């Protein structure tokens, strides 16, 4: 044993020496000094995984499965993370070229299967009882089960998808246009404090809140569309959950229960739902009872909350008033961050590429002139749609949609097998850019015209931002509709610029893989 430890220590020592003599070492030091708190926590978390996953690693090597090839050249403890931090585009493109559509990476000791090409499509399309996003991201990474009870999760996965398909279908969203526009104008007035020049130091928070202003009326209902507390809860729920992720990842799971009471804002969100949404659910159900007794239609507006009020479980029963009210938090989770992030990407792309902004403004003038935003006008704005599709394609993670294997073994069509509990991630940016991360990876190369006649809500092999197959995002029509109207409204009402006066970098990558928006402060100056 001692001999083994001595030789292990010597090998680690050699590897460390080797590492210190490489170009990576100076890059790593530079990265460390530039990294944000979240990035460092992410790295810390990954290092902890080394120890957690040791048992799983040894077990999976012993199993007689047709495992995907393991990529070589891993560093001690950090595995392949240094390559991903340093140049994820080149590294992932090289992995695909050398190992094909499926391979295993060591991410700080945690073995993760990376699915590219056809295998990625397969992973994206897999049913949740085989590859589960709920287990792979929501529980494993975001620790959502600390804040969301099992029934609310059930509503999120069983009821929300069919309700969304019904209430925010491509046809139904056209009836929501005026309500969304009212909400976004109201939100803009409130958030810019009606000032002629407004500086936002935290643009992403600004955009999250703005998206909540425009969404609450259409998704929850007109009863709460101007309620500032519901809007704040709807806007902030996701960031209140995700802000704690780095801390959880860097702390052993056995200690989580001690830190939860100090970290979660979530009880406040639950109380808001009880105080402000529960009475709405009760009033609507009462109205429905009265209408049914009188044999007349209830006449209530169709929206997400109403869809859940009316939703019947497979056994014919309904969710309780309280369960329906709490599930609004999961609607906020699915809709606010995703939409505001892509709105943010869009805005920073327009700032980074004045030529694209000019082209969009030209189209706005030609189609809408000084008239109102209409569904007919939006349908004619081809460049806007091409631009948003391209922004959505650019804005995905390089290793994305982490799904946990739920069966004893998940077998891919090419015969490779992945054991239960292992996480499978798909190379979404590569997929979106025809198999190569390197494609259109600079700001200058971003090119909306490459979308041709493909639309921003139609998924495809080269457009997996909304997922693929059974779990394809049913909220995509609503999200794109909101982003389009927000951009037009913002450009019409304000001159938008970075406070620094510099061109921003629209896409950044946390840890080299997770897409992040710019956070350069913005100045909004009212147009006369
Ligand atoms: C740009 C904005 C959005 C993006 C990029 C996005 C992305 C996604 C993705 C990738 C999935 C598939 C997850 C999987 O593979 O299991 C998904 C599912 C889902 N999204 Fe979105 N989403 C957006 C906006 C919205 C909005 C606005 C809503 C609702 C108002 C929504 C509701 C849902 C629901 C309910 C599901 C689950 C579908 C299912 O499991 O069958 N999303 N979304």
């Amino acid at each position: 044993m001692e001999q083994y430890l001595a030789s292990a220590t010597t090998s680690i020592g050699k590897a460390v020496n080797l590492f210190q003599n490489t170009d990576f070492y100076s890059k790593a030091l530079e990265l460390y000094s530039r990294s944000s708190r979240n990035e460092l926590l992410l790295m810390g978390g990954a290092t902890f995984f080394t120890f957690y996953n040791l048992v799983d690693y040894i077990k999976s090597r012993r199993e007689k499965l047709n495992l995907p090839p393991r990529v070589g050249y891993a560093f001690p403890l950090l595995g392949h993370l240094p390559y991903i931090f340093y140049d994820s585009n080149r590294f992932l493109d090289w992995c695909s070229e050398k190992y094909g559509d499926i391979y295993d990476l060591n991410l700080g000791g945690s073995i993760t299967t990376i699915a590219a090409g056809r295998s990625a499509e397969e992973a994206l399309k897999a049913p949740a009882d085989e590859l589960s996003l709920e287990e792979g991201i929501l529980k494993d990474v975001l620790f959502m089960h600390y804040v969301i009870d099992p029934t609310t999760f059930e509503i999120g996965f069983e009821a929300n998808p069919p309700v969304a398909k019904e209430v925010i279908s491509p046809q139904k969203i056209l009836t929501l246009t005026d309500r969304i526009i009212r909400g976004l104008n109201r939100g803009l007035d409130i958030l810019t404090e009606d000032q002629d020049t407004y500086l936002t130091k935290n643009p992403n928070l600004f955009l999250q809140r703005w998206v909540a202003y425009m969404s609450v009326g259409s998704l929850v209902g007109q009863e709460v569309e101007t309620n500032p507390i519901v809007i704040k809860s709807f806007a902030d729920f996701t960031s209140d959950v995700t802000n704690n992720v780095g801390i959880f990842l860097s702390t052993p799971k056995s200690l989580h229960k001690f830190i939860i009471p100090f970290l979660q804002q979530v009880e406040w969100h639950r109380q808001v739902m009880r105080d402000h949404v529960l009475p709405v659910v009760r009033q609507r159900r009462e109205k429905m009872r009265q209408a049914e007794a009188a044999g007349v239609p209830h006449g209530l507006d169709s929206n997400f909350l109403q869809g859940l009020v009316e939703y019947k479980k497979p056994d014919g029963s309904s969710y309780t008033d309280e369960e329906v009210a709490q599930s609004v938090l999961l609607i906020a989770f699915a809709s606010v961050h995703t939409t505001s992030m892509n709105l943010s990407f869009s805005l920073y792309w327009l700032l980074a590429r004045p030529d694209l902004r000019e082209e969009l403004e030209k189209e706005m003038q030609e189609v809408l002139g000084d008239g109102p935003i209409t569904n007919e006008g939006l349908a004619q704005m081809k460049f806007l749609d091409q631009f948003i599709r391209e922004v959505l394609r650019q804005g995905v993670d390089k290793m994305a949609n982490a799904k946990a294997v739920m069966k004893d073994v998940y077998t891919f069509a090419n015969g490779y097998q992945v054991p239960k509990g292992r996480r499978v991630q798909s190379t979404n940016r590569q997929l979106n850019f025809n198999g190569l991360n390197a494609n259109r990876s600079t700001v200058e190369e971003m090119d909306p015209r490459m979308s041709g006649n493909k639309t921003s809500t139609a998924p495809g092999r080269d457009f997996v931002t909304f997922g693929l197959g059974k779990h394809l995002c049913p909220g995509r029509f609503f999200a794109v509709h909101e982003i389009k109207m927000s951009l037009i409204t913002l450009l019409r009402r304000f001159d938008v610029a970075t406070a620094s006066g510099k061109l921003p970098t629209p896409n950044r990558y946390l840890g080299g893989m997770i897409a992040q928006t710019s956070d350069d402060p913005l100045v909004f100056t009212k147009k006369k």
Side-chain angles (χ1 to χ4, degrees):
M1 181 67 182
E2 267 175 28
Q3 218 176 3
Y4 169 77
L5 280 177
S7 85
T9 317
T10 320
S11 324
I12 290 171
K14 276 188 190 155
V16 169
N17 279 341
L18 200 70
F19 182 48
Q20 284 177 334
N21 289 329
T22 60
D23 193 27
F24 278 133
Y25 183 65
S26 55
K27 292 277 177 195
L29 274 184
E30 192 197 334
L31 179 90
Y32 180 85
S33 52
R34 279 192 291 120
S35 293
S36 66
R37 174 173 160 272
N38 272 349
E39 274 168 314
L40 293 175
L41 284 169
L42 191 82
M43 286 191 262
T47 311
F48 266 103
F49 269 127
T50 303
F51 302 104
Y52 296 154
N53 289 283
L54 203 58
V55 176
D56 174 54
Y57 173 75
I58 294 165
K59 204 173 135 221
S60 74
R61 287 189 59 125
R62 281 203 193 125
E63 279 169 4
K64 299 249 178 299
L65 298 176
N66 182 21
L67 294 169
R70 175 81 51 91
V71 173
Y73 313 107
F75 285 94
L77 299 181
L78 295 174
H80 297 102
L81 285 177
Y83 304 109
I84 295 168
F85 284 133
Y86 180 70
D87 191 344
S88 51
N89 278 2
R90 262 173 61 197
F91 177 63
L92 293 172
D93 288 349
W94 173 83
C95 288
S96 293
E97 198 189 315
K98 186 162 167 55
Y99 296 92
D101 275 357
I102 190 153
Y103 49 88
D104 282 349
L105 289 183
N106 173 342
L107 305 180
S110 170
I111 303 304
T112 299
T113 296
I114 306 299
R118 289 294 162 92
S119 298
E121 289 172 29
E122 224 178 306
L124 288 168
K125 287 179 183 168
D129 57 351
E130 296 183 8
L131 292 181
S132 164
L133 197 75
E134 180 182 354
E135 296 296 325
I137 295 188
L138 300 192
K139 292 186 178 169
D140 251 21
V141 179
L142 299 181
F143 302 96
M144 288 281 283
H145 54 305
Y146 292 167
V147 298
I148 295 287
D149 62 81
T151 311
T152 312
F153 257 124
E154 183 187 299
I155 298 178
F157 283 89
E158 301 300 327
N160 281 357
V163 169
K165 277 181 198 145
E166 169 65 29
V167 300
I168 43 176
S169 65
Q171 298 75 32
K172 288 269 174 70
I173 57 150
L174 301 180
T175 65
L176 300 174
T177 305
D178 292 342
R179 175 157 282 156
I180 296 172
I181 292 177
R182 269 204 310 278
L184 68 83
N185 276 313
R186 189 185 317 113
L188 211 45
D189 292 341
I190 294 171
L191 292 168
T192 58
E193 297 161 11
D194 227 357
Q195 292 177 16
D196 285 345
T197 303
Y198 179 79
L199 165 76
T200 168
K201 290 191 181 145
N202 188 343
N204 289 309
L205 185 66
F206 179 97
L207 294 175
Q208 268 167 42
R209 300 226 162 123
W210 194 29
V211 166
Y213 271 100
M214 63 184 97
S215 307
V216 165
S218 310
L219 297 179
V220 190
Q222 43 87 23
E223 299 95 327
V224 287
E225 74 181 325
T226 57
N227 181 323
I229 300 173
V230 174
I231 290 171
K232 182 170 164 30
S233 172
F234 205 82
D236 294 355
F237 176 70
T238 306
S239 37
D240 281 346
V241 172
T242 52
N243 278 345
N244 298 328
V245 168
I247 296 172
F248 285 131
L249 282 177
S250 341
T251 314
K253 275 192 181 151
S254 54
L255 298 180
H256 287 183
K257 59 176 179 292
F258 301 110
I259 51 176
I260 289 169
F262 298 98
L263 295 176
Q264 304 295 352
Q265 293 282 332
V266 175
E267 192 40 43
W268 178 78
H269 293 283
R270 288 219 184 97
Q271 198 53 46
V272 171
M273 296 303 128
R274 255 175 240 126
D275 293 345
H276 299 269
V277 179
L278 184 57
V280 174
V281 175
R282 288 192 175 136
Q283 279 160 18
R284 290 196 198 170
R285 281 198 160 144
E286 182 50 33
K287 196 163 179 195
M288 285 163 67
R289 264 189 291 275
Q290 288 172 5
E292 196 181 350
V296 293
H298 57 60
L300 290 161
D301 275 355
S302 152
N303 53 47
F304 216 120
L305 183 69
Q306 184 59 23
L308 292 174
V309 166
E310 293 177 27
Y311 180 80
K312 293 271 182 274
K313 294 188 235 179
D315 67 4
S317 65
S318 302
Y319 287 106
T320 66
D321 297 351
E322 167 92 23
E323 286 164 351
V324 170
Q326 292 301 334
S327 69
V328 166
L329 293 175
L330 269 195
I331 305 174
F333 182 80
S335 61
V336 173
H337 208 65
T338 47
T339 308
S340 67
M341 240 180 115
N342 283 288
L343 175 55
S344 176
F345 284 134
S346 306
L347 195 53
Y348 282 105
W349 273 114
L350 292 176
L351 294 175
R353 287 279 306 273
D355 57 320
L356 300 181
R357 180 175 174 164
E358 204 175 298
E359 189 147 5
L360 178 57
E361 284 177 331
K362 186 165 152 249
E363 186 178 72
M364 281 164 51
Q365 197 49 44
E366 278 169 10
V367 177
L368 300 173
D370 295 328
I373 302 173
T374 57
N375 291 326
E376 296 69 31
L378 289 172
Q380 287 171 45
M381 298 185 69
K382 184 168 176 185
F383 179 75
L384 174 61
D385 197 63
Q386 288 176 321
F387 169 71
I388 288 177
R389 182 174 184 275
E390 220 34 34
V391 169
L392 286 160
R393 285 170 91 196
Q394 289 277 359
V396 290
D397 298 341
K398 292 181 189 170
M399 285 153 44
N401 296 37
K403 296 187 175 183
V405 176
M406 304 301 286
K407 306 193 300 185
D408 283 346
V409 176
Y410 180 84
T411 306
F412 279 87
N414 56 15
Y416 282 116
Q417 296 179 303
V418 189
K420 186 173 185 171
R422 174 79 54 86
R423 285 205 282 153
V424 176
Q425 292 190 267
S426 40
T427 53
N428 283 12
R429 195 184 186 285
Q430 250 183 5
L431 286 177
N432 279 354
F433 290 94
N434 306 316
L436 273 186
N437 276 308
N439 283 343
R440 296 218 288 292
S441 59
T442 64
V443 174
E444 298 69 38
E445 286 171 316
M446 145 60 139
D447 186 359
R449 301 275 178 212
M450 297 300 278
S451 282
N453 287 327
K454 295 178 180 171
T455 66
S456 61
T457 49
R461 283 211 168 119
D462 63 349
F463 184 34
V464 300
T465 309
F466 291 115
L468 287 178
K470 188 174 186 298
H471 296 288
L472 176 66
C473 175
R476 62 194 188 281
F477 307 102
F478 185 77
V480 166
H481 201 46
E482 284 197 332
I483 294 173
K484 286 181 176 175
M485 293 192 286
S486 320
L487 286 179
I488 297 173
T489 305
L490 202 55
L491 294 179
R492 280 177 153 188
R493 290 186 52 185
F494 292 91
D495 274 322
V496 185
T498 54
S500 64
K502 295 186 185 142
L503 297 182
T505 306
N507 271 29
R508 298 176 304 143
Y509 294 92
L510 175 67
M513 53 189 150
I514 302 167
Q516 293 225 299
T517 62
S518 168
D519 54 9
D520 288 6
L522 295 177
V523 181
F524 298 96
T525 309
K526 252 189 202 164
K527 285 187 175 167
K528 299 287 171 218

